[in-house]
Amino acid sequence: MPLLKSWVASANDAAHPFPLNNLPYGVFSVDGDDPRCGVAIGDMILDMQAAEKAGLVRLGDAPLFDVPYWNDLMEEGPAVWAALRERLTALLSDGAAEQEKVEALLVSAVDAELHMPFAVSEYTDFYAGKNHAFNVGTMFRGPENALPPNWLHIPIGYNGRASSVVVSGTDVRRPWGQLKGPNDAAPRWAPCARFDIELEMGAIVGTPSDRPITVQEADDHIFGYVLLNDWSARDIQAWEYQPLGPFQAKATANSISPWIVTKAALEPFRCDTPEREVELLDHLKDCGPMLYDIDLEVTMAPDGKEATTIARTNYKEMYYSAAQQLAHHTTSGCPMNAGDLLGSGTISGPSKESRGSLLELSWGGKEPLTLDSGEERSFIADGDTLTLRGAAKGGGYTIGFGDCTGTVLAALENPYAR
């Protein structure tokens, strides 16, 4: 598909992340007004609440955009999702008859504050990138035992905290926790010293389910995607994770990008999952291209310093797709809700510079990174700003997500000091 032309001039730049081909969904406010739903088009945002009130968008008898989140639209299902995309494309295309009316409802993106684009119902994080799993397993168990026996058969995951999900730009406070080194006789209470990121994609469930669903059904149920940073306290995790897996180490924050890129916008960039080492059981088998060719990168900027790109990789490196993760999640009969968020797991490539976490990039702290400022990092220092970026490129246009950024603040004073 070529670049679609819009009467919004900035949307016609091949490098702009928000062309007419994209139309991502977010929530914004201006000058302290109440947050409301918006659609990004070039350097502008279309006020969906105003568009609905003006009769330019009408998808049913009841309003869908009188609330500051996109969950109500999600619950309407794929036919309504498609109808909205078709209507928005018509309103914003070059030569649209209603251009003058729509122009009056546009807001400059530079004047807008962005908020959480949807209400997160539940949050599940997976461990579904093979390169990441192999790297981490090698550090702790050696290459011969890097992948646990179940890893090539099912997408491993754990249920996290929906309350921990925050929008890009939200500061992240360094957590306290129990830490125990390999030579310590007992744990101690201290701020995390090995704070980390995980470069992930987040899939948003749009269609609820209350029964096991197939991989194809799961793909149909996905509403869209965001960038996701799973902030991780590695030293807290090392002490707590056996035998039930991550808990407090993963509960500090999970940052997401502010714009939901719909599955429809990503259709031209579909690609296959990697070749399987063992055959999957029937309920998890691939049924077509379920991944996406999305370039990803991470930058780190010390306080007051320029940013350094520390990693570049691609979403197509995942071993299990979001559709396979969702299908597996439902196998027990687990109900899934509109607004459920599924973290892909860390997306790492095969080379050192494509590793999606500092744990891997510094190889457990043994090989510190040197930033462009000359400073070294094994893990995140107070004041560091981490930014995730992602874009699918091809056909003369770019589909972007907006930055996913967070700055790490120093830990609070000991909350239990007497």
Side-chain angles (χ1 to χ4, degrees), residues 17 199-201 226-228 257 261 266 269-271 291-298 309 311-317 347-349 353-354 387-394 397-404:
L199 168 60
E200 303 190 22
M201 295 291 298
V226 291
L227 303 177
L228 190 153
S257 50
V261 175
L266 292 171
F269 304 96
R270 280 188 180 265
C271 59
L291 281 179
Y292 300 97
D293 183 358
I294 302 172
D295 290 329
L296 302 165
E297 70 172 31
V298 182
T309 300
R312 287 189 175 94
T313 185
N314 192 290
Y315 185 42
K316 64 185 178 183
E317 294 289 348
I347 306 166
S348 294
E353 62 272 15
S354 63
T387 299
L388 278 53
R389 295 189 176 96
K393 301 175 183 178
Y397 63 92
T398 301
I399 299 293
F401 292 77
D403 290 356
C404 179

